Amino acid sequence: METTRSTLSDLEPLLSIEGLAEYLDVPVTTIRDWRTDGKGPCAIKVGGRVRFATSDVLTWLLRQRETEPGRGPSGG
């Protein structure tokens, strides 16, 4: 019987707050404010540091998409 083992290359990439801020082109303080207000993507705490799974960021981004030009995700 063959056992499949995961390697580090199989793991989903994680972004730091700084990495996410750079990716979204917003200040780090904006990411922190979003976390405080419950508006940003879900995070993972690892060793006391906040990290963001790329799949969670992409899911959150899709929810931010306008339903049509000029209208927010909620239609407003």
Side-chain angles (χ1 to χ4, degrees), residues 24-42:
L24 296 176
D25 194 25
V26 299
V28 170
T29 54
T30 298
I31 304 296
R32 289 191 176 119
D33 289 345
W34 286 346
R35 281 190 44 74
T36 300
D37 298 341
K39 295 180 180 178
C42 293

Side-chain angles (χ1 to χ4, degrees):
M1 176 183 247
E2 187 175 320
T3 304
T4 305
R5 298 179 77 177
S6 293
T7 63
L8 287 178
S9 62
D10 295 331
L11 296 176
E12 179 177 9
L14 299 177
L15 295 169
S16 64
I17 287 180
E18 295 81 7
L20 180 58
E22 183 178 335
Y23 176 72
L24 296 176
D25 194 25
V26 299
V28 170
T29 54
T30 298
I31 304 296
R32 289 191 176 119
D33 289 345
W34 286 346
R35 281 190 44 74
T36 300
D37 298 341
K39 295 180 180 178
C42 293
I44 302 166
K45 276 202 155 184
V46 180
R49 296 177 185 252
V50 175
R51 297 289 183 252
F52 299 89
T54 53
S55 62
D56 289 336
V57 172
L58 292 173
T59 298
W60 176 79
L61 281 172
L62 287 172
R63 289 194 313 258
Q64 306 315 302
R65 186 182 298 262
E66 296 177 334
T67 55
E68 59 185 76
R71 294 194 181 255
S74 64

